[in-house]
Amino acid sequence: MRVAGAVVVIAVLGGGEGGDLARRFAAAGAKGLLVADLRPGVAEDLAAELDRPGCPVVGVSGDAHQPSDIAALVATAAKHLGPIDLFAVAGPHGERVVSLDELPDHLDPLAELLALVGEAIGEVVPPQRQSVSPSAARTAVR
């Protein structure tokens, strides 16, 4: 996986830590980073710390469990940094990096990205710790 010259999105899940991952990507020569964290202000503070010429860093609040938030992250990264090359998920039990060149050309890139992010979340968060959406909880109760 090539990091030098790559635009990287890092989605930090509840209980995860994105700071070390962002620092590693920056040190490896990433062209730009977008960090999204559930906790307000955390990603923005990290972006202010790491932002530098040659590797701009954007920090936003976002929830990788929500497709609308993933779509917003993709749009924000494209607007400020360019096309995304790598998408990383940092959870309480590990990290997973997805290379977007894995996406088939004939599929809707956002739909395929959502599937890969969902898979990545499943790998870094044990099933019993995964968030249950309110609609899924209502369905399970019926």
Side-chain angles (χ1 to χ4, degrees):
M1 175 175 330
R2 189 170 162 262
V3 174
V7 171
V8 183
V9 171
I10 301 169
V12 181
L13 305 176
E17 173 56 48
D20 290 339
L21 185 58
R23 286 180 190 88
R24 291 195 315 261
F25 278 124
K31 180 172 83 173
L33 301 171
L34 183 138
V35 181
D37 198 302
L38 286 167
R39 301 166 292 176
V42 172
E44 295 85 346
D45 290 348
L46 182 61
E49 174 192 332
L50 296 178
D51 189 57
R52 67 180 199 285
C55 184
V57 182
V58 177
V60 298
S61 292
D63 183 355
H65 293 95
Q66 302 299 320
S68 60
D69 282 11
I70 296 294
L73 296 178
V74 170
T76 301
K79 178 180 175 183
H80 295 284
L81 305 170
I84 300 168
D85 299 298
L86 302 173
F87 199 105
V89 177
H93 299 284
E95 304 163 348
R96 167 88 194 281
V97 180
V98 174
S99 176
L100 268 62
D101 65 7
E102 296 174 8
L103 299 180
D105 291 334
H106 64 283
L107 296 177
D108 174 12
L110 183 57
E112 186 67 11
L113 175 61
L114 290 171
L116 289 172
V117 168
E119 177 185 315
I121 290 170
E123 289 182 14
V124 298
V125 181
Q128 69 273 15
R129 297 261 334 262
Q130 291 182 12
S131 297
V132 176
S133 71
S135 62
R138 282 192 298 273
T139 303
V141 172
R142 290 184 186 161

